Amino acid sequence: MDVRQTESLPLIFVPDLNAVEQSDEHRHIFSRHFEVPSVPSIGEAQRSIVESRMKSFNQNNTPDVYAGSAATGELNLRSYLTAVSQQVIGIRSTAYEFAGASGGSSFVTQWFDTRTPGMLDSRDLFGSDEGWAEFREFVAQAATANPEVIPESVTELQDSWLDSVNFDAQGNVTVEFDDYTIAPGSAGSIVVTVPSANIIPLLSPFGLMARTAGMNPMPRIPADLLGSARPGEPAQTTQEPVAETPQPRNIDCNKTKCVALTFDDGPGPKTGKLLDELEKKDAAATFFVVGPNAKTRPELIERMIAEGHEVGNHTWSHRSLPALSPAQVRSEIDRTNDAISAAIDQPATLLRPPYGARNATTDRLAQAPVILWDVDPLDWKHRNTEKVIDAAVSQTKPGSIVLMHDIHSSTVAAVPEILSRLKAKGYTFVTVTELLGQDKLKSGKTYSRAPLPPTASSKTGEKK
Ligand code: NI
């Protein structure tokens, strides 16, 4: 069912719109919400969803439930723009929560009038209580026509169930129901459509503007205006599109102390700065990108390749892959590869599964080497530059793969010092493929680090 949404940023009417990612790698929590500094109520309303969802997830999944075993719970929160105009912004947020035994999806759409502070909801799209009541009648009728819907649930339709109302391309209204509200969980998510002609007379002036904004495609800022339009990001250089990977450097990690720094979940607003720092120290790294961010910031993907870094696939939705069907796993990988290919004319050759969560089936479906790590400075948890520096430097051994996240400014701030200290210890910074060796990497096999170089291991042997 068509629920209009876009992940393409930035937009003409909200040039300062940012997607903000948060993750808890150990407990399988990932969220991606929107902030618009020029419209503070958007960030406030979006954060309130994230905070309340995380709170309830934490209550249902106390950390010790999974202690010592592979985590089985998962919380995945994501936001999408469904309507954008000069005065109207509609943001649909989805939540997938899996708590041990059962999982389900829920939806909410928040509306904003950029000229008025505060958040608006479904009710504000309608002109009067009578209009709202009539709308509920139409929804109940349309829902009853769906054989999956439990008829009794529709006679007791609750207002709180109608909290995700959007408009499709024809201006019809779509109402998304949370799992288990009006249908059995096995039916999946139910979307009900109410025809445009029935709805128009019921809408408020804001609702009419929201309908127009929801129907129209969202205009994007032309790429050449991007540099000046996005404060806080380095101005975009108009480079030639990069069609091919630079020649691999001649580094033999069997003879040299090598380390592969890897950065997940981006590219984000701080990634440009990180690339500047890596360039200053002539250090290569590997970026495991999530699809929507690659699509949003293709110029950074181009720059990574142009500057000798490697780009890997970190899936589209950052869902824990073992929980998905084979078709969903492939779609997570393929959509992201499409976004990467759009930027650099080639898909990623490496996969890092979100949370490092994998099994034999997902490894096979990866159709690429599966890259894990042996050094985890817990940068997503500490958000503390000193701690990240100390952990990364003290835990790195020759051949290590270090896990970090370029979405955190504390991590980006830690990188110059990590590079200096590891360089002082004699390390060379290489991509994952350089570290492991192109000819040794095998599709469907997992890698957490390179084998210790023969020189290093024989030395250890001598000392015994
Ligand atoms: Ni991740």
Side-chain angles (χ1 to χ4, degrees):
M1 196 65 79
D2 178 34
V3 176
R4 305 259 289 164
Q5 59 192 36
T6 178
E7 306 221 34
S8 301
L9 315 175
L11 301 154
I12 276 180
F13 295 121
V14 272
D16 59 339
L17 184 140
N18 266 309
V20 178
E21 276 94 3
Q22 289 175 270
S23 61
D24 179 328
E25 296 279 343
H26 289 176
R27 301 183 52 227
H28 294 193
I29 300 175
F30 182 83
S31 72
R32 186 173 194 271
H33 74 272
F34 290 133
E35 304 260 358
V36 181
S38 62
V39 190
S41 24
I42 293 183
E44 283 160 25
Q46 286 275 285
R47 282 193 300 275
S48 82
I49 297 179
V50 174
E51 280 158 20
S52 69
R53 282 285 168 187
M54 287 200 180
K55 195 174 164 202
S56 85
F57 183 77
N58 286 337
Q59 282 163 354
N60 297 338
N61 300 264
T62 49
D64 57 305
V65 167
Y66 303 119
S69 67
T72 53
E74 183 181 359
L75 179 65
N76 187 277
L77 306 175
R78 305 171 54 71
S79 289
Y80 307 84
L81 292 165
T82 53
V84 181
S85 71
Q86 201 124 37
Q87 199 175 342
V88 177
I89 297 175
I91 302 177
R92 166 179 174 258
S93 299
T94 69
Y96 173 79
E97 182 173 347
F98 185 78
S102 62
S105 298
S106 51
F107 312 89
V108 60
T109 299
Q110 299 177 324
W111 291 93
F112 302 90
D113 181 336
T114 58
R115 292 173 193 177
T116 322
M119 188 200 95
L120 303 175
D121 61 19
S122 305
R123 172 64 186 81
D124 296 306
L125 298 170
F126 294 85
S128 64
D129 288 344
E130 291 72 31
W132 175 251
E134 235 179 291
F135 165 66
R136 288 171 44 100
E137 284 300 313
F138 284 127
V139 172
Q141 273 173 29
T144 312
N146 183 330
E148 311 250 51
V149 168
I150 303 163
E152 296 76 41
S153 68
V154 176
T155 56
E156 300 161 16
L157 207 58
Q158 295 175 27
D159 279 357
S160 63
W161 294 351
L162 307 176
D163 61 354
S164 191
V165 170
N166 280 288
F167 299 92
D168 69 13
Q170 288 73 43
N172 307 311
V173 155
T174 58
V175 182
E176 274 177 296
F177 288 91
D178 295 355
D179 290 2
Y180 307 107
T181 50
I182 62 167
S186 56
S189 304
I190 299 285
V191 182
V192 161
T193 302
V194 181
S196 182
N198 292 341
I199 286 299
I200 290 176
L202 311 179
L203 293 175
S204 62
F206 178 80
L208 289 166
M209 286 192 293
R211 178 176 173 274
T212 308
M215 288 169 69
N216 291 337
M218 275 140 275
R220 298 194 62 183
I221 292 181
D224 54 338
L225 295 180
L226 204 54
S228 55
R230 307 215 50 178
E233 275 195 65
Q236 197 198 3
T237 49
T238 42
Q239 289 169 335
E240 293 290 301
V242 179
E244 55 190 294
T245 317
Q247 286 302 305
R249 299 175 300 164
N250 203 4
I251 296 169
D252 185 351
C253 290
N254 286 315
K255 295 181 181 141
T256 314
K257 267 167 88 172
C258 288
V259 58
L261 302 183
T262 66
F263 297 94
D264 288 12
D265 298 357
K270 305 282 182 274
T271 305
K273 186 172 188 319
L274 173 58
L275 287 168
D276 294 344
E277 297 298 342
L278 293 167
E279 196 177 19
K280 276 184 208 161
K281 301 257 168 49
D282 198 20
T286 303
F287 292 85
F288 290 98
V289 302
V290 289
N293 288 350
K295 199 174 168 184
T296 304
R297 297 186 163 90
E299 71 283 356
L300 286 173
I301 306 288
E302 277 182 38
R303 194 180 152 194
M304 287 167 188
I305 295 296
E307 295 179 1
H309 305 295
E310 184 163 31
V311 175
N313 189 319
H314 197 41
T315 77
W316 187 269
S317 313
H318 207 278
R319 288 284 313 277
S320 174
L321 296 182
L324 303 181
S325 71
Q328 285 173 315
V329 170
R330 276 313 313 168
S331 156
E332 284 286 324
I333 297 168
D334 290 342
R335 281 181 80 188
T336 303
N337 273 340
D338 287 348
I340 294 170
S341 297
I344 55 172
D345 294 336
Q346 58 191 6
T349 53
L350 306 174
L351 175 77
R352 172 166 284 163
Y355 314 112
R358 45 156 293 278
N359 58 29
T361 307
T362 62
D363 288 349
R364 183 174 47 77
L365 290 165
Q367 295 173 15
V370 177
I371 308 301
L372 306 172
W373 57 87
D374 68 327
V375 174
D376 181 0
L378 303 177
D379 64 332
W380 52 272
K381 190 176 180 182
H382 299 315
R383 307 285 184 95
N384 176 308
T385 302
E386 284 307 314
K387 280 189 178 175
V388 175
I389 294 169
D390 288 343
V393 173
S394 66
Q395 293 169 29
T396 293
K397 298 180 218 46
S400 280
I401 298 176
V402 184
L403 169 68
M404 290 186 281
H405 299 80
D406 52 327
I407 54 173
H408 302 310
S409 39
S410 45
T411 300
V412 173
V415 166
E417 187 66 18
I418 292 173
L419 295 174
S420 297
R421 291 205 206 165
L422 287 178
K423 195 177 176 191
K425 288 181 160 195
Y427 281 96
T428 302
F429 303 98
V430 298
T431 65
V432 166
T433 296
E434 286 171 334
L435 181 80
L436 299 170
Q438 176 82 66
D439 49 334
K440 295 198 184 73
L441 279 167
K442 289 201 172 57
S443 178
K445 200 169 175 300
T446 62
Y447 301 85
S448 310
R449 51 161 295 115
L452 281 172
T455 47
S457 44
S458 64
K459 265 181 200 163
T460 327
E462 280 163 23
K463 276 182 191 165
K464 261 189 186 171

